[in-house]
Amino acid sequence: MPSDTSSDPYVEPIAFGQRMQILRTRRGMTRSVLAGLVGKSPSWVKQVEGGRLQMPKLPVVLRIAEALRVPDLAELTGDQSMAVDLFTGPGHPRLAHVQAAIDKFPLPTEREAAPAAHLRERLVRAWRARHTSPNHREVIGALLPDLIRDAQVAVLQAESVSARRTAQARLSEAYSLSQFFLAYQPDPSLLWRVVERSLIAAQESEDAHTIGVAAWLAGQAHRDSGHGHFDAADAVSVSTLRFLEPLLPSAGDDLLALAGALQYEVGYTAARRGDVGTAWRHWDTAKAMADRLPADYYHPVTSFSQAVMGAHAVTIAVELRAGGESVRQAAAAEAATIPSRPRRARHRIEEARAYQLDGQAEAALASLGKAYEAAPETIRYNGYARRILLEEAESKNPAQRRRASELAAKIGTLAA
C-alpha cells in the first residue's frame, strides 16, 4: 500500500542496512558524511544499505550508532539481545522528582517566595556543588525540585517590573541548571521543555548574561539532536553573539567568557560537519577571548576559561576525525588545571576518543579510568565512553578486554 511516510525500523524485522538507511535519512545525514564519521567510503555505506554487504562487526556497528546518535543499539541492529543504551543514560533515581517539579503548575498563593538574595545564593551554591562533586547529578538532583518551585513562585509574586525581571533571571538559571541534570536522561521531551522555558524566562529578564547562558545551552540541545539540527544550533549561537557584540568592549569577565563559549560552540558544530577551516577559526577566536580573562578565572556555567581551551582543542580535532592531531592536542592539554570535576572527566573522555581514533586502545582505556576517578556520573551518562568500553570489551587482547569489561561493569554498561 503506497504511503508518504518512512517505514519504522523498529516494527518490522528488516535488514540491518535498511535500518541504517532509515536512521541516517531521519538524521538528515548524507552517505558521504556517515562514511567519514565511521572511517569508510560512501560506496561501502551504499552497499551496506543496499544489502550487498552484511551487518559489520560490533566495533563498526558501535561507530555507526555513535554517528547516528542511536539511543539504543537494538534500534540499529534489530537484535533485542543487543539492547544497550548508548546516548541515553540509565535514568537517574532523582529524575522523577525533578520531572514532578518541572511539570507542576504553580499557583501564586501556593507558598511564600524566598527572598531574592537567598534564592540567588542557593543557585550560586548549586553551581559550585555541580563543579566540585564527583556524583554531580545526585547533588543537583536533590537541590533542583525546591529551586525550581521557589524560582517559579518568585516570578508569580514579584511586586514590581524590576523584581519580576530579576526573578525571571533566577528562574531561567534554575532551568539552565536542570539541563545539566537532564542531559542524556531517557526523557528528551522533558529536556526540550526546560530548554524552551529557560529561553523564555531569559528573554523576559532582559539580562544579557542570562540570555547568553540560555542560548548557549539551547544551541547544544539542537546540535545533540543530530545533523539535521546543526543549522538551528548555529542560528542560536550566532544571533546571540551579534546581540552581545555591542556590549563586549565594556563587558565584565562573565559576559566576555560567555561570548567566548558561544564562539567555541560554533566551531564545535563546524567540526561535527567536517568543516576544518571554520572549526579552527572559531576556536582561535575563542582562544583570543579566553586570553583576555584572568588566568584563574572560570565561568560558573559554561566552564569557559584559559584552562579549558586545550580540552576544547582536543574535541575539535576528534570531531574532525584527525587521529594524530587529536593525540597531539591531548598531550598539550593539561587536565589537572580544569577545576570542574565533571568538565575534567569530560575532557578525559575526549582524550580517550583521541587515543582510540589513533589506534591507541590502552591509552584510551587509561583515560577513561581517569574520567571515572574525576566524576563517575559523567562517564556513566556519556555515550562516547560507553561506545569505547563496549568496543574494547570485544578486543582480542585479553588485558584490554578485562580492563574495559571491569570499567563497563562499574558504570553499568555491562552487568557485573
Side-chain angles (χ1 to χ4, degrees):
M1 180 176 178
S3 172
D4 59 359
T5 60
S6 308
S7 59
D8 191 330
Y10 319 131
V11 176
E12 298 297 331
I14 60 178
F16 173 85
Q18 291 174 288
R19 290 172 178 269
M20 187 171 89
Q21 182 177 20
I22 292 168
L23 292 164
R24 175 183 62 77
T25 304
R26 286 183 178 178
R27 286 293 183 190
M29 187 184 296
T30 66
R31 286 191 178 117
S32 295
V33 169
L34 178 58
L37 291 173
V38 300
K40 297 290 186 179
S41 67
S43 64
W44 180 88
V45 174
K46 184 176 182 179
Q47 289 182 71
V48 172
E49 291 183 347
R52 291 186 292 279
L53 290 177
Q54 298 301 308
M55 185 174 77
K57 292 183 179 180
L58 181 61
V60 178
V61 171
L62 288 167
R63 291 176 188 274
I64 294 168
E66 176 187 314
L68 296 175
R69 305 295 291 186
V70 176
D72 188 327
L73 202 56
E75 296 178 5
L76 178 61
T77 65
D79 182 356
Q80 293 305 312
S81 67
M82 299 180 73
V84 177
D85 289 331
L86 289 176
F87 288 88
T88 301
H92 197 278
R94 293 192 181 275
L95 176 59
H97 301 288
V98 175
Q99 181 181 32
I102 294 168
D103 288 345
K104 185 175 176 58
F105 182 72
L107 298 172
T109 58
E110 185 171 298
R111 58 202 290 175
E112 185 176 354
H118 178 59
L119 183 57
R120 175 60 186 151
E121 179 59 26
R122 286 164 60 195
L123 283 163
V124 168
R125 291 180 181 178
W127 285 114
R128 188 181 302 129
R130 181 190 175 266
H131 288 299
T132 58
S133 304
N135 292 312
H136 46 93
R137 277 188 170 85
E138 174 64 25
V139 172
I140 64 173
L143 298 173
L144 278 171
D146 282 341
L147 275 173
I148 292 168
R149 294 184 188 110
D150 286 348
Q152 289 172 333
V153 171
V155 171
L156 294 171
Q157 294 182 11
E159 295 180 349
S160 67
V161 172
S162 175
R164 183 175 176 82
R165 287 174 180 165
T166 299
Q168 290 282 20
R170 300 291 84 81
L171 179 59
S172 179
E173 191 173 351
Y175 284 139
S176 292
L177 183 63
S178 301
Q179 290 177 58
F180 284 93
F181 176 84
L182 294 171
Y184 310 117
Q185 296 282 329
D187 192 344
S189 64
L190 182 64
L191 173 65
W192 275 107
R193 286 205 299 281
V194 169
V195 170
E196 290 167 355
R197 290 183 190 182
S198 181
L199 285 168
I200 292 169
Q203 290 169 338
E204 292 290 331
S205 77
E206 299 184 12
D207 177 74
H209 184 266
T210 303
I211 291 169
V213 168
W216 178 76
L217 284 163
Q220 292 189 17
H222 281 296
R223 185 182 60 239
D224 288 347
S225 295
H227 281 249
H229 299 264
F230 284 2
D231 287 348
D234 278 345
V236 171
S237 297
V238 171
S239 63
T240 307
L241 279 168
R242 288 173 182 159
F243 166 70
L244 295 177
E245 189 174 5
L247 307 175
L248 295 183
S250 59
D253 291 340
D254 285 352
L255 203 60
L256 179 62
L258 190 52
L262 286 162
Q263 283 284 354
Y264 167 70
E265 288 302 314
V266 179
Y268 185 2
T269 304
R272 291 279 294 273
R273 284 193 176 99
D275 186 342
V276 179
T278 302
W280 285 115
R281 176 166 55 83
H282 281 281
W283 182 89
D284 287 339
T285 302
K287 177 67 164 59
M289 299 176 86
D291 289 342
R292 291 168 57 186
L293 298 167
D296 61 349
Y297 173 84
Y298 203 76
H299 191 271
V301 179
T302 68
S303 298
F304 191 81
S305 59
Q306 292 185 27
V308 86
M309 290 310 300
H312 283 336
V314 175
T315 297
I316 293 289
V318 167
E319 292 295 347
L320 290 170
R321 316 302 293 175
E325 179 65 13
S326 300
V327 170
R328 190 183 73 80
Q329 294 291 350
E334 298 182 29
T337 64
I338 300 175
S340 168
R341 294 185 72 136
R343 188 61 188 82
R344 193 158 66 243
R346 169 68 189 278
H347 168 58
R348 291 300 192 187
I349 293 167
E350 295 295 281
E351 188 179 72
R353 294 178 69 198
Y355 284 126
Q356 197 195 42
L357 190 62
D358 198 49
Q360 300 184 45
E362 291 184 5
L365 291 173
S367 292
L368 291 182
K370 292 175 183 177
Y372 184 82
E373 291 171 6
E377 284 195 337
T378 294
I379 187 172
R380 184 171 294 128
Y381 287 85
N382 186 281
Y384 299 118
R386 296 163 76 85
R387 191 267 297 164
I388 292 171
L389 290 174
L390 286 168
E391 187 171 331
E392 295 305 325
E394 297 288 320
S395 171
K396 294 180 180 179
N397 183 308
Q400 288 174 211
R401 188 166 62 245
R402 181 174 60 254
R403 188 171 188 177
S405 298
E406 288 173 353
L407 185 51
K410 283 183 181 179
I411 72 169
T413 299
L414 297 176

